[in-house]
Amino acid sequence: METLAAHACFGGTQSFHRHESSACAGPMRFGVYMPPNASGARLPAVLVLAGLTCTEETFAIKAGAQQAAARAGLVLVMPDTSPRGPDLPGDSEMWDFGRGAGFYVDATAAPWRDHYRMFSYVTDELPALIEAHFPVDPARWGTMGHSMGGHGAMVAALRRPDRFKSCSAFAPISAPMDCPWGRKAFSGYLGADRGAWAQYDASALMRAKPFAGEILVDQGLADKFLAEQLMPERLEAAAAASGQRLRLRRHAGYDHGYFFIQSFVAEHLDHHARNLRVG
């Protein structure tokens, strides 16, 4: 693991790193915010998954989350949104597929299957790497995300409750099997089998087996992607069918961007702190 940069921030450190990933068969980058930790104790961590076109720097720079993380004693782990190393045919031609748009799935279709294994990367390889190099408690991981990353966070929690004990999302893609972004990504990465798609659809997963904890979701009502791409009502229906505890809050006037995230990120980190029993 190579450290690319480190910055003092609210008494802790915001750093950025690169390593060779076995899951993605090439270099991957990630950011870590380490809060003040004078005791050297192992701390709870939140895996933060960003949205389309973002990098490992986007949430760290734009969300304003470090102050709340420092107060709560939470480590923030921010991976990139796709592999960047291989040059695959067509990987840079579209903003919503390929580079910057890994959708947190393990691709099974060529040529993506050898590198675009983001689900394995964010749920197994990266947490293990973090635990080996930072004072993180392996039993206290949460996950949160925005848009494509909100989809990824909910899928990670629903499929890997052994790993993740808390979950939240901002404006998530709630039913990717049935929206244009999701259909495009899933058909490209996973092929035509909708049974394979269902393993990465939060609404389908939640309907089949709820997450043990409460999931917090915030959605802006001025979000231009709300009706066609995000479909939070599908998540509500799945929660009602399975008994999932879901706190879905709708906010008038807020759009899809980082001013929305800045407005509520401290509440999300408080949610994780409570569920990970911090303080």
Side-chain angles (χ1 to χ4, degrees), residues 46-191:
V46 179
L47 175 74
V48 183
L49 303 182
L52 289 164
T53 75
C54 294
T55 72
E56 74 284 354
E57 294 185 338
T58 308
F59 183 89
I61 293 172
K62 291 185 175 183
Q66 288 90 346
Q67 185 173 20
R71 183 177 64 245
L74 290 169
V75 178
L76 303 180
V77 178
M78 297 154 277
D80 201 353
T81 52
S82 77
R84 307 278 174 172
D87 292 318
L88 300 178
D91 68 358
S92 300
E93 294 177 1
M94 296 168 283
W95 68 275
D96 56 356
F97 185 83
R99 290 192 182 187
F103 266 82
Y104 306 104
V105 305
D106 280 351
T108 55
W112 314 100
R113 62 191 175 205
D114 292 334
H115 298 280
Y116 279 65
R117 301 185 66 249
M118 291 297 293
F119 182 78
S120 290
Y121 178 70
V122 300
T123 62
D124 280 317
E125 183 179 13
L126 183 58
L129 182 73
I130 295 297
E131 291 162 11
H133 291 276
F134 298 89
V136 164
D137 184 348
R140 292 193 292 168
W141 277 92
T143 182
M144 64 185 288
H146 170 228
S147 192
M148 177 185 74
H151 135 78
M154 291 192 295
V155 169
L158 287 158
R159 287 186 57 175
R160 291 295 309 274
D162 58 316
R163 169 72 75 183
F164 300 106
K165 308 305 180 186
S166 66
C167 180
S168 72
F170 289 95
I173 303 172
S174 296
M177 292 175 66
D178 297 313
C179 77
W181 280 342
R183 288 194 296 265
K184 181 176 182 177
F186 287 1
S187 60
Y189 294 134
L190 304 172

Side-chain angles (χ1 to χ4, degrees), residues 242-263:
S242 68
Q244 172 70 58
R245 287 185 290 153
L246 174 68
R247 183 157 48 118
L248 198 161
R249 309 186 301 186
R250 292 173 169 87
H251 305 276
Y254 287 91
D255 61 20
H256 197 70
Y258 268 82
F259 293 117
F260 166 52
I261 294 174
Q262 289 173 20
S263 300

